[in-house]
Amino acid sequence: MAVAERTGRGIALEELHGIRDRVRLHRHQRATQSSWPFHQLERHITYKARRAGVPALLVDARYTSQMCPRCTHTSRSNRSTRDTSSCRRCGLAGPADVVAAVNIRDRARRAWVFVNMPLPTAA
């Protein structure tokens, strides 16, 4: 939060509403998953950001870890393991969390343009 405030940047978060309905887990993982406080974390971060005057945006979470940020090729096979991502089209490879974070950042940048766009004037 302090870095975003100091550098004049914003914070982008994945919109995780409905994730419990979209994610299928093994039986032994269900108790852990149902205790994830996504909404509480989101509200806490947006509250703190608003208080510090830092913009916070929620972006669509779909395919963020399966899409290549360089060529935008999206495929399940881009994420071959839990920890790594490797694009089948252009070869970009790296940690899956970093690739997803870059995609979230890029989506937030595109959305930010529309948030700050001046309203059209009636002619």
Side-chain angles (χ1 to χ4, degrees):
M1 193 76 57
V3 173
E5 186 177 7
R6 188 180 72 247
T7 60
R9 295 183 179 169
I11 296 173
L13 301 169
E14 288 180 306
E15 185 165 5
L16 296 174
H17 299 171
I19 193 168
R20 288 186 178 96
D21 300 327
R22 294 192 313 262
V23 176
R24 293 194 182 123
L25 297 173
H26 296 285
R27 183 180 300 252
H28 69 279
Q29 295 172 316
R30 290 183 189 149
T32 304
Q33 188 253 6
S34 63
S35 65
W36 292 345
F38 296 124
H39 185 69
Q40 182 181 1
L41 177 63
E42 174 193 312
R43 288 188 62 193
H44 183 73
I45 290 172
T46 54
Y47 163 76
K48 292 282 190 178
R50 191 177 319 118
R51 205 168 126 193
V54 173
L57 283 175
L58 295 177
V59 298
D60 188 4
R62 287 179 286 193
Y63 308 112
T64 53
S65 63
Q66 296 175 12
M67 185 177 87
C68 174
R70 182 189 295 160
C71 70
T72 67
H73 174 66
T74 305
S75 171
R76 278 190 168 173
S77 63
N78 282 353
R79 177 121 183 231
S80 55
T81 68
R82 180 177 172 261
D83 298 327
T84 60
S85 179
S86 178
C87 181
R88 301 298 179 224
R89 183 178 291 161
C90 74
L92 178 72
D97 291 339
V98 173
V99 170
V102 169
N103 285 325
I104 293 165
R105 179 203 63 196
D106 292 346
R107 289 180 186 183
R109 284 180 175 168
R110 284 192 299 274
W112 190 250
V113 170
F114 292 110
V115 169
N116 289 317
M117 187 183 312
L119 295 173
T121 57

